[in-house]
């Protein structure tokens, strides 16, 4: 079945540690890819998006993601996390339709 | 810019009553809005796509008679949960997609509302 998978359900890090969150999708053909963040008590915000071109995408707050077409992956990275990055992170895929299909989410906790 | 609001932010109701949730795009027009449902510690599940001036398109497994959607204007979509039951308790989130193409992208980004927490007793 077509889906979006986030393998890390809960990640706990200390400040300054590096972060990589996995995202894999199973849709064929052209897709648009997104990472959203949901801070505690707040609404979803777009971190970054990929449509075409350079597969390394830079987003807000120091986040970046790399699209690897052969692996159907769009992993999110940040070299040094901060306590304020504590949030829920969602990968989403738009398989060239109106719809956004979300992954199950990864809860990130960063301790000082 | 691109702010989406939802009202109410939180509602508690008795079983059997109907609840209406509003989704408004405050500074842009949205031909298309989307309604999602999020269970605790789970992802967002698309319930339906709401198109201004036409019937909503529901995802498989979503009861259209249970979740009534009306998109009467380019800035407002409403979701009415009819005859709510405790299993309808959830976090309902809407998003709005600006009408017309955005510069440089083939896809109009969705902007999300803050969500509505529905608790049915």
């Amino acid at each position: 079945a077509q889906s979006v998978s986030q393998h890390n359900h809960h990640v706990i890090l200390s400040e300054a540690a590096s972060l990589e969150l996995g995202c894999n999708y199973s849709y064929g053909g052209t897709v648009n890819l997104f990472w959203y963040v949901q801070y505690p008590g707040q609404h979803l915000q777009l971190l970054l998006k990929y449509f075409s071109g350079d597969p390394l995408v830079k987003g807000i707050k120091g986040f970046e993601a790399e699209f690897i077409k052969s692996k159907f992956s769009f992993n999110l990275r940040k070299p040094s996390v901060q306590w304020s990055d504590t949030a829920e992170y969602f990968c989403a895929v738009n398989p060239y339709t109106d719809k956004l299909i979300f992954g199950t989410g990864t809860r990130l906790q960063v301790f000082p | 810019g691109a702010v989406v609001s939802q009202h109410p932010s939180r509602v508690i109701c008795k079983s059997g009553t109907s609840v209406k949730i509003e989704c408004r795009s405050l500074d842009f027009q949205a031909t298309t809005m989307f309604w999602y449902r999020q269970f605790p510690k789970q992802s967002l599940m698309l319930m339906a796509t709401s198109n201004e001036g036409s019937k909503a398109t529901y995802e498989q497994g979503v009861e259209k008679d249970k979740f009534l959607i009306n998109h009467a204007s380019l800035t407002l979509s409403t979701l009415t949960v009819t005859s709510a039951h405790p299993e309808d308790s959830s976090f309902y989130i809407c998003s709005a997609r600006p009408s017309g193409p955005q510069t440089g992208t083939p896809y109009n980004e969705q902007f999300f509302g803050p969500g509505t927490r529905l608790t049915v007793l």
Side-chain angles (χ1 to χ4, degrees), chain A residues 43 46 49 98-99 102-103, chain B residues 38 43 59 97 107 109 113-114:
Chain A
H43 60 280
L46 182 66
K49 58 190 176 186
D98 280 354
K99 304 174 188 178
F102 283 86
Chain B
Q38 186 179 27
S43 186
E59 294 300 299
R97 192 175 74 189
Y107 171 82
E109 180 179 333

Side-chain angles (χ1 to χ4, degrees), chain A residues 59-86:
Chain A
I60 61 171
K61 305 187 181 186
F63 286 91
E64 64 178 32
E66 184 175 13
F67 170 51
I68 302 179
K69 189 174 182 179
S70 61
K71 295 185 178 180
F72 296 88
S73 70
F74 189 55
N75 292 356
L76 181 71
R77 299 195 292 247
K78 185 170 184 178
S80 176
V81 294
Q82 301 173 312
W83 175 78
S84 58
D85 293 324
T86 294

Side-chain angles (χ1 to χ4, degrees), chain B residues 11-56:
Chain B
V11 57
I12 301 172
C13 69
K14 292 182 179 179
S15 186
T17 61
S18 294
V19 175
K20 180 186 282 188
I21 302 170
E22 293 185 349
C23 177
R24 291 181 186 273
S25 55
L26 297 185
D27 50 2
F28 64 96
Q29 293 184 330
T31 307
T32 305
M33 292 184 175
F34 302 86
W35 286 96
Y36 297 85
R37 184 172 179 177
Q38 186 179 27
F39 290 101
K41 299 185 180 181
Q42 293 189 32
S43 186
L44 283 76
M45 299 298 294
L46 179 65
M47 298 175 66
T49 302
S50 169
N51 296 298
E52 188 266 337
S54 64
K55 291 183 179 180

Side-chain angles (χ1 to χ4, degrees), chain A residues 6-112:
Chain A
Q6 290 182 243
H7 308 296
N8 316 102
H9 298 294
H10 190 188
V11 174
I12 301 173
L13 295 172
S14 298
E15 274 193 323
S18 64
L19 170 72
E20 179 159 3
L21 302 181
C23 174
N24 288 88
Y25 62 95
S26 61
Y27 296 91
T30 303
V31 295
N32 300 315
L33 299 155
F34 306 81
W35 275 98
Y36 285 87
V37 60
Q38 189 175 31
Y39 296 104
Q42 296 189 30
H43 60 280
L44 278 170
Q45 298 174 41
L46 182 66
L47 269 181
L48 47 80
K49 58 190 176 186
Y50 172 80
F51 294 116
S52 62
D54 188 344
L56 186 60
V57 180
K58 294 195 182 299
I60 61 171
K61 305 187 181 186
F63 286 91
E64 64 178 32
E66 184 175 13
F67 170 51
I68 302 179
K69 189 174 182 179
S70 61
K71 295 185 178 180
F72 296 88
S73 70
F74 189 55
N75 292 356
L76 181 71
R77 299 195 292 247
K78 185 170 184 178
S80 176
V81 294
Q82 301 173 312
W83 175 78
S84 58
D85 293 324
T86 294
E88 189 89 21
Y89 291 81
F90 294 95
C91 178
V93 174
N94 162 239
Y96 242 74
T97 66
D98 280 354
K99 304 174 188 178
L100 266 181
I101 310 300
F102 283 86
T104 50
T106 297
R107 184 181 172 209
L108 172 64
Q109 279 185 292
V110 180
F111 289 98

Side-chain angles (χ1 to χ4, degrees), chain B residues 104-119:
Chain B
T105 65
Y107 171 82
N108 287 337
E109 180 179 333
Q110 294 182 29
F111 297 93
F112 287 82
T116 296
R117 173 80 57 197
L118 171 63
T119 303

